[in-house]
Amino acid sequence: MPLHSSVVAQSTLGLHSLEHYEPLIGASSLERISRKADRVRTMRIAHVSSTFYGGGVTELLTPLTLMQNAMGIETDWHLIQGTPGFFAGTKKLHNGLQGEDVDFSDTERAVYEEVVFENATRIHLDDCDAVIVHDPQPLPLISHFSDREMPWLWQCHVDLSQPFGPTLAYLRNFAEQYDGAIFSLPEYAQDFAVSQHFVRPAIDPFSPKNCELSDAQVERCLSGHGIPTDRPLVTQISRFDRWKDPLGVIQAFRLARQQVDCRLVLIGSSASDDPEGAAVLEAVKRAADESVIVLAVDDPVLVNALQRRSAVILQKSTREGFGLTVTEAMWKGAAVIGGNVGGIRHQIEDGWNGFLVNSPDEAAARIVQLLKDARLREQLGSRAKESVREKFLMSRLLEDWLDLLISYERIAV
Ligand code: UDP
């Protein structure tokens, strides 16, 4: 059996129930969360997003919707469909929310609103008790459900620390029709006339991407993908997206390699709602040399194996809503160097459980330091793992959601 199938087979043995978290969170936390679940057990929830594939929203909704259903809370997940023109426009909105000066033309607005209208006519949400709409792509849906009786919440996962004014002003018209907005961090709060909530993401420790792997499984996976381990690996795992700064990573690696021997691995899958990935991947390939392995693959077990086997994991983002790749690597006890932005700052305490950097030069210096000091890598990594166990496992995210649903249940009509 291929490695991927054997890991997947393990993960389908009912591992989506809350009870599996007991060894990680303890019996009393488990009981507390179960009691909260009892209060919303009869609710029917619907999530709406734009892709089942690629990116952090998928990573969150996959385990969350499975866990909620395993607990008896009926939870659906609807996808909106769109044309390439629609997704090119929504990527601009995404970039605008993250601070880029974007020009969103009247034609792009018309396409955006028309495609969402078409989706609204196909999605039937009448029998739900709460609807959660994710990110800018399906945001205008709310305009077509004006006689709704249940709470609608908009959850925005991007880094909203410095949004571009015109983009925010346009999207505010839709966001303020919701009953509440949910952001990943308090510093992303906006002056919207709706209640705002903050829910930090989390990871599923039992998924093929995060479950335990033996050393033999790790080696087999890496060699299956042609990744040699003769030199220490420095790895960044990310969609090929400018905000993840892959070119800055290559620059940092080149500087570090003047002092230490190592190999850089850049792997990235592309999200189906991200039209810019191909161009960024091409730019990365042009910048790479023979010491840089660039792989565009979608293999969660490879992500797992690389996070376990690499001497250093980088996430040198220049904007980052939260950064699940950081959480995933920390969970494996990796030594992580992250960009000093957004959600990465909430996960890495500089010098305690990883390093934060502001430039390729700083990243290079930390790579050199870590590659020269195995004990430091181990120390940072074991603290990193513990901080994920305390704060960033799916059981905590589930509890945050239960609290939110309980608070909205009171105002549901
Ligand atoms: N991811 C993956 N393969 C890749 C690149 C990314 O499976 O080649 C996953 C990654 O493991 C993480 C998610 O995609 O679970 C990315 O989430 P993150 O919050 O880091 O960034 P986003 O893509 O949402 O901006």
Side-chain angles (χ1 to χ4, degrees), residues 52 94 120 254 322 349:
F52 272 142
H94 172 102
R254 289 226 168 93
F322 183 71
E349 197 180 322

Side-chain angles (χ1 to χ4, degrees), residues 70-358:
M71 301 184 95
I73 305 167
E74 271 189 44
T75 309
D76 290 333
W77 179 3
H78 301 278
L79 286 191
I80 60 157
Q81 295 156 12
T83 56
F86 170 78
F87 286 119
T90 57
K91 181 71 192 202
K92 276 193 178 178
L93 295 175
H94 172 102
N95 289 342
L97 285 178
Q98 296 216 130
E100 191 178 306
D101 182 340
V102 290
D103 174 27
F104 196 62
S105 68
D106 289 347
T107 311
E108 285 167 319
R109 273 180 198 216
V111 169
Y112 176 52
E113 293 179 22
E114 177 62 22
V115 169
V116 174
F117 163 74
E118 289 170 7
N119 278 278
T121 64
R122 284 190 294 259
I123 296 183
H124 301 282
L125 299 165
D126 302 336
D127 53 352
C128 293
D129 298 300
V131 176
I132 297 105
V133 172
H134 295 265
D135 277 344
Q137 297 90 335
L139 173 65
L141 272 179
I142 185 111
S143 312
H144 307 290
F145 291 84
S146 50
D147 57 353
R148 65 191 177 275
E149 294 189 344
M150 71 295 279
W152 275 54
L153 306 173
W154 179 50
Q155 184 166 19
C156 183
H157 299 264
V158 307
D159 182 337
L160 281 169
S161 51
Q162 302 168 49
F164 178 53
T167 304
L168 191 68
Y170 170 55
L171 294 181
R172 165 199 294 274
N173 297 322
F174 302 113
E176 290 187 339
Q177 295 175 45
Y178 283 75
D179 298 286
I182 305 165
F183 303 120
S184 302
L185 306 174
E187 56 262 43
Y188 299 161
Q190 303 297 322
D191 61 343
F192 287 169
V194 290
S195 6
Q196 296 180 44
H197 312 276
F198 306 99
V199 176
R200 289 168 307 161
I203 59 162
D204 173 359
F206 308 111
S207 69
K209 186 175 291 178
N210 294 315
C211 66
E212 287 297 327
L213 292 180
S214 67
D215 290 346
Q217 284 176 311
V218 168
E219 298 305 322
R220 194 144 48 93
C221 179
L222 295 186
S223 77
H225 282 277
I227 300 174
T229 49
D230 52 336
R231 298 190 228 159
L233 297 177
V234 176
T235 300
Q236 175 156 304
I237 298 157
S238 273
R239 286 182 298 107
F240 290 104
D241 179 317
R242 282 173 293 133
W243 303 106
K244 313 288 184 183
D245 198 18
L247 298 179
V249 168
I250 293 178
Q251 201 184 330
F253 167 73
R254 289 226 168 93
L255 289 169
R257 205 160 42 115
Q258 291 168 7
Q259 296 182 56
V260 282
D261 191 24
C262 52
R263 194 185 300 281
L264 177 64
V265 182
L266 286 168
I267 79 157
S269 56
S270 54
S272 61
D273 59 353
D274 180 359
E276 292 179 348
V280 176
L281 174 59
E282 278 319 302
V284 167
K285 283 183 175 162
R286 276 196 303 276
D289 59 33
E290 72 293 342
S291 293
V292 182
I293 297 176
V294 182
L295 285 176
V297 291
D298 179 38
D299 180 350
V301 182
L302 176 61
V303 171
N304 192 338
L306 276 169
Q307 287 167 337
R308 290 180 190 282
R309 184 63 168 81
S310 299
V312 175
I313 293 285
L314 284 170
Q315 189 55 58
K316 219 204 83 43
S317 308
T318 53
R319 288 280 192 285
E320 191 61 76
F322 183 71
L324 280 172
T325 49
V326 171
T327 332
E328 291 159 2
M330 290 173 76
W331 176 242
K332 282 128 198 165
V336 184
I337 301 174
N340 187 11
V341 292
I344 300 177
R345 284 202 287 230
H346 283 249
Q347 301 186 65
I348 296 181
E349 197 180 322
D350 191 31
W352 169 255
N353 57 4
F355 286 123
L356 292 171
V357 294
N358 296 292

